[in-house]
């Protein structure tokens, strides 16, 4: 709680790739809804972005553009703090300290690391054990078959991928834990893909508190009921992603024409009725979710409206494209109204506001560790 008795929320976006409506619907628009009720801190997490190689000029531009996206979405810098992660050195200092509490096994479990490196060491080892360890009576024997040889080869390839992977990519959830824990955060509003990272922050906070004495508040994750996992337009079984092929996402900076083309090309499910059924109709359910969140109309109402007014998926997609187009026009009008100098000033003020809180947490951590002289 802050002086004005408001609980604190903290969240952030990486200034890498192209921000899309998944980022907006799953996370940023939720922050807008929460900013009145909470002491709100929104970060541009540039140190996270460099876990993958970035072009310096592009990165510099992206940092400012992410702030413009926050503001065009409705984040009000009078109510919420917006700042740049690398401006507050306590983030990397605390991350180092938490590294000494985190375990390799904590990080190998992280889905994002597994996705990016295509490595799931624990699963391969589990498979090898499952396929080799046979029980005969009371004794266990290892059997080497050609299937197992294949798994061992896979393991060796995976280890090669791990060897090539940057340490930052592996360690990044610890930096994220540091971001969250520095600000006595009560709630972390994120999309579903980040839930596991927030859980790690909770684990590290508890571990530190029990080893050295209580410093950290244990944060809760806040995930929207709808929109927490917007799926790719080209593959509704995978989440919409910044780093995917542009046909996968509707960028917040796409023109309505480009967005319309992408929507008309989205994969569709079999059958032709417009029904929300995530399991059997993942593509149409995803489109209905986007439609509903952008227009504020209830999914049930949309289903019956589409049943009367649309002849199949083509008609439905046209209506969705119109709604998306309207949203993009109004969003981009606001986005283009901000100048770089104004954004730089907001980042500077934001850093000044959060620095004392971050420094104080770090001071208490150092005291507990015994390194504060
Ligand atoms: P990032 O930059 O990948 O994504 C920013 C936010 O967008 C959400 N999101 C989605 N939501 C719904 N559907 C999707 N397809 C989709 N794709 C992305 C993400 O869940 C996220 O909330 N590690 C974080 C950034 C971070 C952070 C933090 C967040 C760093 N430190 C501390 C919270 C607190 C990330 O890479 O998000």
């Amino acid at each position: 709680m802050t002086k004005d008795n408001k609980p604190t929320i903290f969240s952030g976006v990486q200034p890498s790739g192209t921000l899309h409506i998944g980022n907006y619907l799953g996370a940023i628009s939720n922050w807008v809804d929460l900013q009145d009720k909470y002491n709100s801190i929104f970060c541009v997490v540039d140190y996270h972005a460099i876990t993958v190689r970035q072009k310096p000029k592009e990165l510099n531009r992206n940092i400012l553009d992410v702030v413009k996206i926050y503001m065009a979405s409705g984040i009000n810098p009078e109510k919420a703090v917006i700042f740049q992660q690398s401006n507050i050195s306590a983030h990397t200092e605390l991350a180092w300290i938490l590294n000494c509490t985190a375990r390799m096994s904590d990080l190998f479990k992280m889905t994002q690391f597994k996705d990016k490196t295509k490595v799931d060491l624990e699963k391969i080892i589990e498979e090898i054990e499952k396929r080799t360890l046979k029980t005969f009576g009371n004794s266990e024997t290892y059997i080497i078959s050609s299937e197992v040889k294949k798994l061992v080869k896979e393991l060796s390839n995976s280890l090669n991928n791990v060897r090539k992977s940057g340490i930052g990519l592996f360690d990044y959830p610890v930096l994220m834990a540091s971001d969250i824990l520095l600000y006595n955060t009560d709630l972390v509003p994120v999309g579903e893909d980040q839930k596991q990272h927030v859980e790690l922050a909770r684990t590290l906070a508890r571990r530190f508190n029990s080893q050295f004495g209580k410093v950290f508040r244990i944060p809760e994750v806040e995930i929207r009921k709808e929109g927490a996992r917007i799926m790719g337009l080209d593959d509704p079984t995978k989440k919409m992603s910044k780093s995917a092929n542009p046909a996968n996402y509707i960028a917040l900076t796409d023109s309505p024409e480009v967005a319309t083309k992408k929507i008309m090309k989205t994969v569709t499910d079999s059958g032709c009725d417009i029904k929300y059924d995530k399991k059997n109709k993942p593509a149409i359910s995803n489109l209905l979710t986007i439609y509903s969140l952008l227009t504020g109309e209830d999914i049930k109402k949309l289903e019956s409206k589409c049943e009367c007014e649309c002849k199949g998926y083509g008609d439905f997609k046209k209506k969705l494209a119109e709604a998306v187009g309207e949203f993009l026009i109004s969003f981009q009008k606001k986005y283009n109204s901000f100048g770089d100098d104004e954004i730089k000033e907001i980042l500077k003020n934001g850093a000044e506001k959060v620095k004392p809180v971050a420094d104080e947490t770090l001071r208490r951590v150092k005291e507990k560790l015994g390194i504060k002289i």
Side-chain angles (χ1 to χ4, degrees):
M1 286 295 172
T2 52
K3 275 183 235 133
D4 49 2
N5 265 350
K6 285 183 176 175
T8 297
I9 55 173
F10 181 99
S11 201
V13 170
Q14 290 193 50
S16 59
T18 315
L19 264 66
H20 50 68
I21 52 162
N23 299 120
Y24 173 78
L25 298 174
I28 308 171
S29 66
N30 196 20
W31 308 350
V32 177
D33 296 339
L34 297 169
Q35 68 181 336
D36 285 316
K37 225 170 107 199
Y38 290 87
N39 167 44
S40 306
I41 309 177
F42 302 122
C43 186
V44 183
V45 288
D46 48 356
Y47 275 157
H48 279 85
I50 60 166
T51 54
V52 174
R53 189 147 177 200
Q54 303 289 334
K55 296 190 178 119
K57 267 200 186 139
E58 249 172 48
L59 177 60
N60 208 268
R61 184 66 256 155
N62 283 343
I63 291 168
L64 299 176
D65 288 349
V66 167
V67 181
K68 289 188 185 180
I69 283 175
Y70 287 179
M71 305 229 315
S73 304
I75 301 292
N76 178 350
E78 305 275 314
K79 294 182 187 167
V81 179
I82 302 175
F83 78 104
Q84 184 184 348
Q85 183 187 33
S86 62
N87 274 338
I88 304 293
S89 58
H91 287 250
T92 40
E93 269 195 74
L94 180 60
W96 176 256
I97 294 168
L98 293 176
N99 269 337
C100 303
T101 303
R103 298 177 189 141
M104 301 291 277
S105 61
D106 293 326
L107 299 179
F108 271 128
K109 277 187 215 133
M110 298 292 121
T111 315
Q112 299 229 330
F113 177 76
K114 290 195 272 192
D115 282 354
K116 289 212 169 113
T117 55
K118 314 259 177 287
V119 169
D120 189 343
L121 287 179
E122 277 167 359
K123 190 160 158 244
I124 299 173
I125 288 166
E126 199 184 294
E127 274 302 298
I128 293 179
E129 277 178 357
K130 211 162 71 192
R131 293 190 201 185
T132 54
L133 197 59
K134 303 270 181 235
T135 308
F136 296 101
N138 288 334
S139 64
E140 286 179 329
T141 310
Y142 282 96
I143 297 178
I144 307 293
S145 64
S146 60
E147 225 183 316
V148 171
K149 280 189 189 144
K150 232 164 60 195
L151 280 169
V152 172
K153 179 89 194 126
E154 205 183 308
L155 182 61
S156 139
N157 290 343
S158 292
L159 280 174
N160 271 340
N161 279 356
V162 173
R163 286 184 190 111
K164 279 186 275 177
S165 144
I167 290 168
L169 192 62
F170 180 63
D171 193 34
Y172 128 147
V174 178
L175 179 59
M176 179 159 160
S178 157
D179 301 338
I180 296 168
L181 299 177
L182 275 176
Y183 300 100
N184 308 313
T185 302
D186 293 282
L187 212 61
V188 187
V190 281
E192 201 179 71
D193 63 319
Q194 297 298 320
K195 188 173 170 201
Q196 202 187 23
H197 293 159
V198 180
E199 271 159 16
L200 178 72
R202 289 163 58 85
T203 303
L204 297 184
R206 281 206 200 94
R207 210 177 280 161
F208 185 96
N209 286 349
S210 80
Q211 285 172 353
F212 300 100
K214 186 168 185 298
V215 175
F216 298 122
R217 182 167 300 163
I218 312 297
E220 299 286 336
V221 68
E222 148 81 21
I223 294 190
R224 287 198 120 164
K225 205 161 154 267
E226 292 300 335
R229 192 171 181 84
I230 298 292
M231 309 310 274
L233 299 180
D234 57 347
D235 180 356
T237 62
K238 296 208 176 95
K239 78 166 180 121
M240 187 175 278
S241 165
K242 284 181 204 163
S243 50
N245 176 316
N248 166 275
Y249 56 75
I250 299 167
L252 290 167
T253 46
D254 273 346
S255 67
E257 294 72 33
V258 168
T260 301
K261 274 193 196 136
K262 290 183 183 178
I263 291 168
M264 297 312 289
K265 277 195 193 148
T266 50
V267 274
T268 31
D269 314 297
S270 53
C272 57
D273 44 340
I274 316 289
K275 279 268 166 284
Y276 185 87
D277 174 353
K278 260 186 174 170
K279 190 160 165 257
N280 299 309
K281 289 182 163 290
I284 211 73
S285 303
N286 188 40
L287 297 184
L288 272 168
T289 303
I290 296 174
Y291 201 163
S292 159
L293 289 171
L294 284 182
T295 57
E297 284 193 67
D298 185 69
I299 291 194
K300 279 271 157 260
K301 278 198 191 132
L302 282 174
E303 280 177 344
S304 46
K305 193 168 132 189
C306 292
E307 209 176 331
C308 305
E309 294 174 16
C310 303
K311 289 182 219 79
Y313 289 153
D315 264 9
F316 170 70
K317 286 180 180 176
K318 268 190 216 148
K319 283 207 177 314
L320 171 63
E322 274 166 32
V324 169
E326 264 174 44
F327 163 77
L328 289 174
I329 289 170
S330 126
F331 183 91
Q332 288 164 15
K333 198 168 157 213
K334 286 180 247 160
Y335 176 86
N336 290 322
S337 71
F338 306 116
D340 287 353
D341 288 343
E342 182 186 356
I343 299 298
K344 286 178 193 167
E345 195 58 26
I346 287 169
L347 287 175
K348 186 169 155 273
N349 291 338
E352 276 165 16
K353 281 190 203 147
V354 292
K355 192 172 182 309
V357 185
D359 287 350
E360 171 57 16
T361 306
L362 189 62
R363 190 195 63 75
R364 288 170 57 218
V365 166
K366 287 182 174 176
E367 206 171 64
K368 294 282 186 205
L369 282 173
I371 55 176
K372 176 104 195 67
I373 302 294

